[in-house]
Amino acid sequence: MSLSSSPDSDLTSRRRRTAEQSQASSCVLHPHASYNQGEIHDQPQDTPQPDVAHAFTPSPPHSLCASLKCVSAQACSSKHVCKDSCEAIPRKRTIRAENEVEANKLVNNYRFGFRKWKSHVTARPFEARSDVVKELYSELNVIKPHAGPGQFITCGNVAFVLLFGWWVSLVYFVVGLLMFVTIIGVPYGKLCWKLCCYFLWPFGNTIHEIGNTLRRCCEEAPDCECSMETSEDSSPVLVHSVTEGPGPGMPEPPLRTAYWHRLSTYVWLLLGYPPLAVIHCLVCFVSWILVFTIPVSKMSAQTLTVILLLPPEDILLSTSTHRKHQGYETRALLCCYHAANCYYYKYTVDGINVFAVNLLPLVIFALVIGYVDKGNQFASSDVKFATAISSIIPLSYYIGMGIASISAQSNFAVGAVVNATFGSITELTFYITALLRGHRAANPCLQEVVKAALTGTLLGCILFIPGVSMIIGGLKHREQRFNSRSAGVSSALLFISVGGVFAPTLFSKAYGNLVCSACTNATGGNSTSNASGPFVCHNCHYDLKNGTLFHHNIEPLIYTVSVFLPAAYIIGLIFTLKTHSHIYDIHVGGGQETGHHGTVVHWSRWRSLLILIVATVLMSACADLATEHIQPILNQPNISQYFIGVTVLAMVPEIPEIVNGIQFALQNNISLSLEVGSCIAVQVCMLQIPILVFFNAFCDVGFVLLFSDQHMWASIFSVILVNYIFMDGKSDYFQGTALVVVYLILLASYYFAPSPAVC
């Protein structure tokens, strides 16, 4: 009995020990913990990478030991039951990209000193795009099956009729009458009346080209895809250019006079085409500027450049309810279903967002009215300043695209140099232009405005950009996590940079002489009386220029700091890019092309460099106009010059960076959203301010690295606050709200602050 039960008891004890060991070696994970990193995925090194472009990797934020390997109790040296121990293993961010150039751009986003850029620098494969994006870039010659005319009654289509349709149709009707009057242009008159009905409600209706065009195409190019079958409404969802062929026994197309041998063609081009060209250009421009009505712009461009230049007998109109089948081949030229699409904010032209493209004419307008209208006869100084400062927005976007394109196609050394030189060119151009103009006009107020703009850039990049990104990202993803160690590197550099920038100011407060004017004592006597008692003084300031303290102590300190700050920036580059690059351990996973084969880059390196140079020149011109016409804005009695500097002049050039930060946050990549602001703030302190100091040393423009108390304490408080919030490696909309509220409070203090004494 004992012998037979012994194996069973041993088996039971082994099972019990196995269960206990498995319990001792497990980590408790949150059951619902997972988050989406978009293009960035955190995975252990040994985990096989799925061959998917955008995979979702579970990442337990509430686990007892996230991303840790648990060691069982048997590994403990003690014979007693020991506590669970976890051994950390390295983790990598896995980047999925379509090609090598795009992967380089994504890796550069995580490198210190590189500009963070969201937009693609290469053309994405069209077949890999979503159906929504394909719809944005599709030509209006695709016939789709539909349920009936009722589905086209939308707000956008009704708005088209009210904004464009009725008067475009009216112009076609008038031009048709004109063609009938000429007698010889009667075919074009009939065409205009058909198009009059079409443009009143074009949705679901199709304009075809008939003739033997497709048959000639197949004969001359045998490799082209031609179909001689009649296409019915039961075709697939998207059908390109419908092709209909003549049935057996149907007549061939009759012979006709060549298009350019007809007298009616020249009558049409002289009398009918010009007014229609004007109205279509106007419709095309207005609908393109509105962005969301770009389909209307495409429809007008197709009509102007193709349809109106065809022989009238080759144009066939078919309604959404009845398709005419002739004995000729047909090719769909125009078929529009919706006049507006809310997703057109994603539309790009040569890699540039459509909003930035639409703002480019503003640059030309600002330069024309600024340099031609010197006497302000056609536009006031306020208008010129507004257009000049707004022109900086698209130029900043083009500069950012050029920097990202060159960096993605070059090694990290070239990218670091390009980012260090052109990354601050927007702000430096404005600051140097303002200092030069203030020096020539003997206006020290512009120097204070430049210091306010520098402080405003710091505050906006430290508080506003991370705050807005946290709010928007937190509303979509509830809670977001980031690499607290890499954020700690940026925080340390912020402490170093802000401490170095304001060290001369603190030194001057400690050792400077306080000079006051208009002092009176309690008895009402002036400062020269010998009466004892408390004095009330006004216009107090530290006298630095008239004493030896500035020249012998403060000025050498300023130059010393201006040398140490760029040196610290270079050390930061070496630390993050070479010696301690594992902090930003990036792994380019499978699923992307290994090389430039098949990669279509929007801008080559030489083209990017040319665009950078041209944009920099235009930026200088716009900055010159802005500083020339800023004085009426500064003379406003109800607005402090400090407030203008920390808001308009500081944040307008950073609008593309704000957009990038928000887009990163929406993709649950809050790490890059935070790095966007930190990178700019570090460059302001460690590169821009030292460059201004050395520029002042070679060309004395009156710039002294001494800030007001408000600038100093606001910046120091902001750095301390943001470092406190970044400590836990988590973000949500409440933390973002705290940062934005503090930023708004500081702006309010600048708004109600008195103007500088020199202004």
Side-chain angles (χ1 to χ4, degrees), residues 44-57:
Q45 291 181 351
D46 300 332
T47 304
Q49 305 292 345
D51 190 18
V52 181
H54 297 282
F56 296 94
T57 304

Side-chain angles (χ1 to χ4, degrees), residues 190-444:
K190 295 179 180 179
L191 173 64
C192 288
W193 282 4
K194 292 179 181 179
L195 294 178
C196 169
C197 301
Y198 176 83
F199 281 105
L200 187 62
W201 187 264
F203 310 109
N205 303 326
T206 308
I207 298 179
H208 300 271
E209 178 188 7
I210 61 176
N212 57 356
T213 306
L214 294 184
R215 185 180 294 110
R216 287 198 304 269
C217 170
C218 292
E219 292 174 355
E220 297 175 3
D223 294 334
C224 72
E225 297 179 2
C226 298
S227 175
M228 301 303 295
E229 299 177 358
T230 303
S231 178
E232 299 295 338
D233 286 338
S234 59
S235 56
V237 177
L238 293 181
V239 184
H240 289 281
S241 303
V242 177
T243 305
E244 300 174 356
M250 290 187 177
E252 292 292 331
L255 296 177
R256 54 182 181 174
T257 307
Y259 180 71
W260 294 106
H261 294 170
R262 306 177 187 179
L263 182 60
S264 60
T265 299
Y266 297 96
V267 173
W268 164 252
L269 294 178
L270 290 176
L271 298 179
Y273 186 79
L276 296 178
V278 172
I279 63 125
H280 277 296
C281 288
L282 179 61
V283 171
C284 189
F285 175 77
V286 173
S287 57
W288 181 272
I289 292 297
L290 295 177
V291 175
F292 299 103
T293 56
I294 286 180
V296 179
S297 179
K298 291 182 178 180
M299 181 169 58
S300 295
Q302 180 75 358
T303 303
L304 179 63
T305 58
V306 177
I307 296 174
L308 295 182
L309 296 179
L310 289 174
E313 64 272 13
D314 283 357
I315 299 175
L316 172 67
L317 276 71
S318 62
T319 63
S320 59
T321 57
H322 179 257
R323 292 175 54 192
K324 299 179 181 180
H325 297 278
Q326 304 289 338
Y328 309 101
E329 301 166 348
T330 64
R331 179 169 65 96
L333 296 176
L334 183 59
C335 186
C336 183
Y337 296 94
H338 298 285
N341 190 331
C342 62
Y343 289 100
Y344 264 100
Y345 70 89
K346 299 181 177 181
Y347 195 79
T348 60
V349 179
D350 200 16
I352 298 295
N353 187 270
V354 64
F355 288 101
V357 174
N358 287 349
L359 287 176
L360 273 183
L362 187 63
V363 178
I364 307 300
F365 178 74
L367 296 178
V368 170
I369 65 172
Y371 289 108
V372 175
D373 183 23
K374 289 291 186 179
N376 294 343
Q377 298 179 357
F378 302 100
S380 63
S381 293
D382 295 342
V383 174
K384 292 180 180 179
F385 172 78
T387 54
I389 203 71
S390 301
S391 301
I392 295 178
I393 300 175
L395 294 176
S396 300
Y397 196 95
Y398 274 82
I399 290 175
M401 181 69 174
I403 293 173
S405 297
I406 293 178
S407 301
Q409 300 174 68
S410 310
N411 56 43
F412 77 91
V414 175
V417 172
V418 171
N419 278 270
T421 52
F422 287 98
S424 302
I425 199 69
T426 301
E427 296 85 356
L428 283 175
T429 301
F430 177 80
Y431 299 151
I432 293 176
T433 305
L435 291 174
L436 288 173
R437 184 170 293 278
H439 177 67
R440 288 195 297 262
N443 183 10

Side-chain angles (χ1 to χ4, degrees), residues 417-748:
V417 172
V418 171
N419 278 270
T421 52
F422 287 98
S424 302
I425 199 69
T426 301
E427 296 85 356
L428 283 175
T429 301
F430 177 80
Y431 299 151
I432 293 176
T433 305
L435 291 174
L436 288 173
R437 184 170 293 278
H439 177 67
R440 288 195 297 262
N443 183 10
C445 185
L446 288 179
Q447 301 168 12
E448 295 299 323
V449 170
V450 168
K451 293 178 184 178
L454 288 169
T455 307
T457 304
L458 279 177
L459 298 179
C461 295
I462 295 174
L463 298 176
F464 184 73
I465 295 180
V468 171
S469 301
M470 284 181 176
I471 292 174
I472 297 178
L475 291 176
K476 182 177 181 181
H477 301 287
R478 189 177 180 85
E479 182 179 89
Q480 297 176 292
R481 290 178 172 266
F482 54 90
N483 188 344
S484 58
R485 188 174 182 188
S486 62
V489 174
S490 300
S491 301
L493 288 171
L494 277 178
F495 267 119
I496 296 172
S497 58
V498 171
V501 165
F502 292 104
T505 304
L506 290 172
F507 186 87
S508 67
K509 303 299 181 185
Y511 297 101
N513 296 321
L514 188 64
V515 178
C516 301
S517 60
C519 293
T520 58
N521 56 25
T523 60
N526 56 24
S527 59
T528 60
S529 64
N530 295 325
S532 61
F535 283 84
V536 178
C537 300
H538 302 279
N539 299 327
C540 297
H541 62 280
Y542 286 93
D543 187 14
L544 302 174
K545 292 295 182 90
N546 297 330
T548 59
L549 178 67
F550 177 77
H551 296 287
H552 293 155
N553 303 95
I554 298 178
E555 192 172 33
L557 177 61
I558 291 175
Y559 291 134
T560 302
V561 168
S562 300
V563 171
F564 285 157
L565 287 177
Y569 185 83
I570 295 174
I571 293 173
L573 287 176
I574 297 174
F575 179 82
T576 56
L577 299 181
K578 298 295 292 184
T579 62
H580 288 69
S581 59
H582 61 274
I583 297 177
Y584 307 88
D585 208 355
I586 308 297
H587 172 65
V588 180
Q592 98 279 347
E593 300 174 10
T594 58
H596 295 273
H597 178 70
T599 301
V600 180
V601 182
H602 288 306
W603 296 357
S604 65
R605 279 175 288 195
W606 288 109
R607 182 184 179 187
S608 301
L609 182 60
L610 178 62
I611 290 176
L612 283 176
I613 296 173
V614 173
T616 302
V617 173
L618 295 177
M619 182 78 69
S620 303
C622 292
D624 180 67
L625 291 175
T627 54
E628 179 183 355
H629 299 282
I630 196 177
Q631 197 58 45
I633 308 297
L634 299 178
N635 293 335
Q636 296 291 332
N638 299 326
I639 303 178
S640 172
Q641 286 81 359
Y642 286 145
F643 181 76
I644 297 173
V646 299
T647 53
V648 178
L649 304 182
M651 296 309 295
V652 167
E654 308 303 335
I655 288 179
E657 307 301 332
I658 297 173
V659 174
N660 282 331
I662 293 174
Q663 288 180 331
F664 285 130
L666 288 174
Q667 288 193 343
N668 203 14
N669 200 346
I670 194 64
S671 298
L672 289 184
S673 298
L674 304 182
E675 289 293 332
V676 166
S678 299
C679 180
I680 300 173
V682 169
Q683 283 192 345
V684 168
C685 294
M686 293 189 167
L687 292 180
Q688 295 180 20
I689 290 179
I691 289 174
L692 293 177
V693 170
F694 289 119
F695 177 79
N696 183 78
F698 290 100
C699 180
D700 188 7
V701 292
F703 179 79
V704 180
L705 194 60
L706 296 175
F707 292 83
S708 66
D709 290 349
Q710 189 174 10
H711 294 333
M712 181 178 63
W713 296 120
S715 300
I716 294 175
F717 173 73
S718 300
V719 172
I720 295 174
L721 175 64
V722 79
N723 276 274
Y724 174 76
I725 289 181
F726 288 174
M727 282 193 306
D728 59 351
K730 296 183 295 184
S731 71
D732 49 50
Y733 73 89
F734 176 75
Q735 293 178 336
T737 303
L739 293 179
V740 173
V741 168
V742 171
Y743 177 74
L744 295 178
I745 291 174
L746 293 177
L747 288 189

